[in-house]
Amino acid sequence: MTQLAGRTVLVTGASKGIGTETVRALGTAGAHVIAHYNQDRAGAQAAVDGLPAERVHLARADLADPDAARQLWHDAIRWRGQVDVLVNNAAALAESPLDASDEDWDAAWALTYAVNVAGPMALTREAVRYFRSRGGGVLIAMSSWAAQRGSANPDLAAYSASKAALKAATQTLARAHAAEGLLCYVIAPGIVRTRMSEIANARVGGEPGTRGALAMGSWVPPAEIADLVVFLASGTRRHLSGATFDVSGATYIR
């Protein structure tokens, strides 16, 4: 598959879950891929194993630090002199129970906002300014159905709010810069088969009960999300810009 040959894609949070599958799918489709990670370099390396070495680049950054996020973009540009697509996938999942201490509550919200909103948007700002200067580019944001319907776990209010913020910011950019060639897409997965989802699900009763509430009776395979990213990363679906793609197996329908 070579439909993305010649295109360079930066994927944040490449060391686990959806990010890992996305990197593999993009690389298989012929793209040059920058696989971002924070602490898990081994996971990022595993994500690119099997892809041609000349088409992969690992880049570390702590997205909780906006300056590090900005530097990540410039690191990505230096690699090949261009980036065509940014996939904002990395996220933190910190619980903030109502009965937590003030210190724990504040820390959870601060971490979630920093990693899921402030960092990605600092990175996005660099990307959009670059895309506008060269006549266009693709921005893909990984939101969540929790941004639309709220989380089933009330302790994840910060996570839901952060995913809604990322969605709204991405759609705002889509409207503002459509005439300049900026294509923006939001993906809103339901429950995806990732380690993060498994941990969160275990805290609200476990998988059997969750499956019973799903229309298809199964979690979303991360490879299906990755395939959607490949489809959108081509930059050829111009009039889908601004759209939110719900991937929940018909469980959440708007």
Side-chain angles (χ1 to χ4, degrees):
M1 298 176 67
T2 59
Q3 70 265 40
L4 296 184
R7 294 181 73 75
T8 302
V9 186
L10 168 57
V11 181
T12 66
S15 59
K16 296 178 178 65
I18 293 172
T20 290
E21 292 295 333
T22 297
V23 164
R24 290 171 179 165
L26 290 166
T28 300
H32 289 73
V33 183
I34 300 114
H36 157 264
Y37 68 98
N38 181 15
Q39 298 177 331
D40 187 6
R41 181 182 175 87
Q45 183 62 60
V48 303
D49 283 349
L51 299 176
E54 68 274 12
R55 287 201 285 108
V56 298
H57 175 67
L58 302 187
R60 181 189 177 280
D62 180 359
L63 293 184
D65 178 358
D67 285 336
R70 285 185 276 267
Q71 185 57 45
L72 171 62
W73 179 258
H74 297 298
D75 178 28
I77 292 291
R78 279 194 298 270
W79 179 45
R80 296 192 67 241
Q82 70 178 64
V83 175
D84 303 288
V85 184
L86 168 61
V87 182
N88 272 321
N89 168 72
L93 188 74
E95 293 192 343
S96 54
L98 291 176
D99 58 358
S101 67
D102 289 348
E103 292 77 13
D104 288 346
W105 169 274
D106 292 346
W109 277 85
L111 173 65
T112 302
Y113 178 83
V115 176
N116 296 6
V117 184
M121 291 314 299
L123 175 63
T124 296
R125 177 170 174 252
E126 298 299 315
V128 171
R129 292 196 297 185
Y130 170 80
F131 290 152
R132 292 175 66 198
S133 74
R134 66 193 297 262
V138 178
L139 175 63
I140 301 173
M142 204 63 63
S143 183
S144 168
W145 68 350
Q148 321 293 331
R149 63 198 288 267
S151 174
N153 181 354
D155 295 347
L156 296 180
Y159 176 79
S160 301
S162 71
K163 287 300 187 178
L166 182 64
K167 172 184 181 291
T170 301
Q171 290 176 317
T172 298
L173 292 170
R175 296 185 66 179
H177 303 295
E180 298 169 276
L182 179 65
L183 306 178
C184 301
Y185 310 104
V186 177
I187 299 176
I191 302 179
V192 183
R193 175 67 65 187
T194 66
R195 183 59 180 155
M196 178 184 286
S197 292
E198 289 171 350
I199 292 172
N201 187 250
R203 294 169 180 165
V204 291
E207 186 172 338
T210 301
R211 281 202 309 269
L214 300 176
M216 291 186 176
S218 61
W219 292 17
V220 179
E224 290 192 15
I225 307 295
D227 289 343
L228 177 57
V229 172
V230 171
F231 173 75
L232 298 172
S234 68
T236 60
R237 277 41 179 199
R238 295 177 57 249
H239 287 88
L240 288 177
S241 187
T244 297
F245 295 86
D246 295 305
V247 188
S248 62
T251 299
Y252 177 65
I253 300 176
R254 287 184 287 164

